[in-house]
Amino acid sequence: MYPAAFEYHRPTSIQDALGLLAKHQDDAKLLAGGHSLIPLMKFRLAQPKHLIDLGRIGGLAGVREEKGAVVIGALTTHATIEHSELLKGKCPILPEAAARIGDPQVRNMGTMIPPRTGPP
Ligand SMILES: Cc1cc2nc3c(=O)[nH]c(=O)nc-3n(C[C@H](O)[C@H](O)[C@H](O)COP(=O)(O)OP(=O)(O)OC[C@H]3O[C@@H](n4cnc5c(N)ncnc54)[C@H](O)[C@@H]3O)c2cc1C
């Protein structure tokens, strides 16, 4: 199956990504690891006209401690969470849960994503 035609955007800053989202609104979808969205597009259950790939935006991935809180970036993969020593110490349920998601290929690409508020 092939997805419907779409325009591919690869912003390198959050500002540019927000600009694209503001411009294309409901016609646009963000792309992170692609392990949920791409299959949906291939089955044409999702047909965004614009795909905004977040992969080139620096600083969105990783786990760190900041002002006493643990911060997990939006592009942090399941594998990073699985192997994070910080999380193993502070919140071990997350690495334990991440280790049970899919297989290594999925965990190396799939990211933590915010709760969905609408259709995929
Ligand atoms: C073979 C296989 C096995 C899997 N097994 C499991 C499993 O056992 N458990 C499980 O929980 N999941 C499983 N998954 C799902 C996988 O973990 C998801 O792909 C992943 O959680 C979603 O992250 P992604 O980076 O792939 O998102 P994408 O596919 O890129 O995006 C998914 C959705 O989130 C939106 N989105 C992405 N990033 C953002 C962002 N930063 N802000 C706002 N919206 C955003 C996208 O627009 C899209 O609507 C499996 C997937 C596959 C292919």
Side-chain angles (χ1 to χ4, degrees):
M1 294 287 285
Y2 293 97
F6 59 89
E7 198 172 328
Y8 176 72
H9 305 270
R10 199 163 56 181
T12 52
S13 71
I14 293 177
Q15 232 72 16
D16 289 351
L18 289 174
L20 287 162
L21 273 179
K23 183 175 176 192
H24 300 297
Q25 305 215 357
D26 288 347
D27 287 338
K29 276 276 171 209
L30 296 172
L31 179 72
H35 273 48
S36 291
L37 186 54
I38 299 294
L40 288 172
M41 289 173 65
K42 284 186 167 182
F43 284 114
R44 302 207 174 192
L45 296 171
Q47 299 192 26
K49 293 191 174 72
H50 297 269
L51 203 54
I52 303 171
D53 186 347
L54 302 176
R56 293 294 168 99
I57 301 178
L60 288 181
V63 182
R64 64 183 190 280
E65 203 167 5
E66 207 175 276
K67 296 179 187 161
V70 174
V71 179
I72 303 175
L75 284 193
T76 306
T77 61
H78 304 306
T80 298
I81 289 165
E82 177 184 357
H83 299 295
S84 163
E85 292 303 325
L86 177 62
L87 287 175
K88 283 180 190 173
K90 298 269 184 190
C91 190
I93 195 170
L94 286 182
E96 284 171 29
R100 284 163 179 75
I101 292 174
D103 53 30
Q105 278 176 302
V106 171
R107 296 199 291 274
N108 281 331
M109 291 296 292
T111 64
M112 292 282 284
I113 55 173
R116 250 199 343 244
T117 53

